[in-house]
Amino acid sequence: MPNSNHRWNQDFPKIGIRPAIDGRRKGIRESLEEQTMNMAKAVAALLSETFKYPNGEPVECVIADTCIGGVAEAAAAANKFSKSGVGVSITVTPCWCYGTETMDMDPSTPKAIWGFNGTERPGAVYLAAVLSGHAQKGIPAFGIYGEDVQDSGTTDIPQDVQEKLIRFSKAGLAAAYMKGKSYLAIGSVSMGIAGSIVNEELFQNYLGMRNEYVDMSELVRRIEEEIFDPEEYQLALNWVKENCSEGPDNNPAAIQTTRERKDQDWETVVKMSLIVRDLMIGNPRLADLEFGEEALGHNAILSGFQGQRHWTDHFPNGDFMEAILNTSFDWNGKRAPYLVATENDSLNGVAMLFGNLLTNTAQIFADVRTYWSPDAVKRVTGHILSGAAKDGILHLINSGPAALDGTGEQSRDGQPAMKPYWEITDEEMNKCLKATSWRPASLEYFRGGGYSSDFLTKGGMPVTMSRINLVKGLGPVLQLAEGYTVDLPEDVHKTLDDRTDPTWPTTWFAPILTGEGSFTDVYSVMDNWGSNHGSISYGHIGADLITLAAILRIPVSMHNVAKEQVFRPRVWSNFGTSDPEGADFRACSSFGPLYK
């Protein structure tokens, strides 16, 4: 069993709080010190109580030692933040301050400024002035200004201000956590899928990540030379035998494999799971076995496995490995998911990473496979779609890699959900396992055998489907669609599912329609989706994704988020206010990648 602390052996980024103040002494500054510092303390308390790191511990905030009235104190705060591992900056003030003297000048740190809406001192004036400075210097910052006037000295944070502080901080922490980590490509391009052509400019310039590469033959070497923890392997294999139910073999009788071969496949796919995890994050146990280099791993928070076809034509497929690593539990119990992109689709992997960092939950990887119109469903099954599905549905399905959390067998307030691992109960974990059948792989697709996870996602979950696309001359573009998972009558599901591949997991998805653009109808969502894959995250997190994309300077080409919830740096409005989508593209192009 791996050391539980090993995965989190690097410090998490902290949120730095900068209390800015009018620097004039002999009366003005002194009268503001307590209120200004109390604002910083209130923000720190709010964020520490709201957020948790991927390991379940509360987010840490660091407050500058003094209020910042000028450049010397700004430099002292920057020095403290650098030593403390601050990755996100929030400036707060109730008053006028000297804008360019007090501002945070670090160009790669996500930053926001809360200017207090009060009548006694002009916090709003400072906010406008310093945001102008940020725009002029090309260092975008998010502006936060409450709608209602507050009384001087209050420590309350208005609800609208809280929402913006939380939205910015959530996205800022996600950006900061990616910085310095790796994407590990195991193999190369799968079946000509463009997303598995790993684009280093995306990872390095936009995400601050490095790229690592391992040939799939490394799995063969580690299997044959037994470069894995033998004790954990036995634990894992026993757990799989007890908890992973093997489903019926759908292959024609003439090509079905023997029981002996199926058992060998189970052994191989369990070893693959251990090995890919160790490749990503390392495993100190390997050093005890005299594999010191292998023990280190690649510092990867995200990986991709090519699989098809150079691996799957000969070896068992990666479906079990991908499914169990992406899930919030395994033979060692509940733990944070290890993100692995099927077919090495690094672009969909990035969407999975965004969703995971914003929610601390597992992500569903799927093909955006089929649009079923109400008329088509009625023609094939006789069923009339209703409820959230009344305008049509998308069949999200792929060859078995979806996280078991995607069954919807976890719950929150009596409704199906996908939760951070520390909230999942043992009963919910067991329900996810029981709702999943491991089907012998379709040998026409996977000549080397293996197993695919088969489950049906419960309806009623709010979810967000997202995807990063790369466009020559433009760069990365984000698209997203909020909606709901839906239930179909069992016979209707079976009829539709059997037309594709009943050995794979299915999620029926109904996007929320706006009646405009890409969300005119469900067909338009499917027709405007940029690639064959999508990442599905629990919750309506579209607004958070938009804020994260703005931090990274990735424009959003398609979304159905209400305009009131869209939160971007203030300078975006200088690129036009009547066409926010176009302004987003222009701003991202003008400022360029965060880490250029």
Side-chain angles (χ1 to χ4, degrees), residues 401-455:
L404 272 60
D405 305 64
T407 57
E409 293 291 341
Q410 301 161 25
S411 65
R412 178 174 286 138
D413 300 325
Q415 299 298 315
M418 296 167 65
K419 302 191 293 190
Y421 78 90
W422 55 83
E423 295 182 15
I424 299 172
T425 66
D426 290 344
E427 181 183 8
E428 288 171 334
M429 181 178 71
N430 291 329
K431 283 183 176 180
C432 291
L433 286 164
K434 289 179 180 178
T436 305
S437 174
W438 297 94
R439 307 288 292 273
S442 299
L443 295 175
E444 292 177 346
Y445 281 111
F446 306 110
R447 299 172 187 174
Y451 292 92
S452 297
S453 56
D454 178 29
F455 63 73

Side-chain angles (χ1 to χ4, degrees), residues 556-569:
V556 181
S557 63
M558 170 180 169
H559 74 82
N560 55 348
V561 176
K563 63 181 180 179
E564 296 80 12
Q565 296 181 7
V566 174
F567 188 36
R568 292 182 170 119

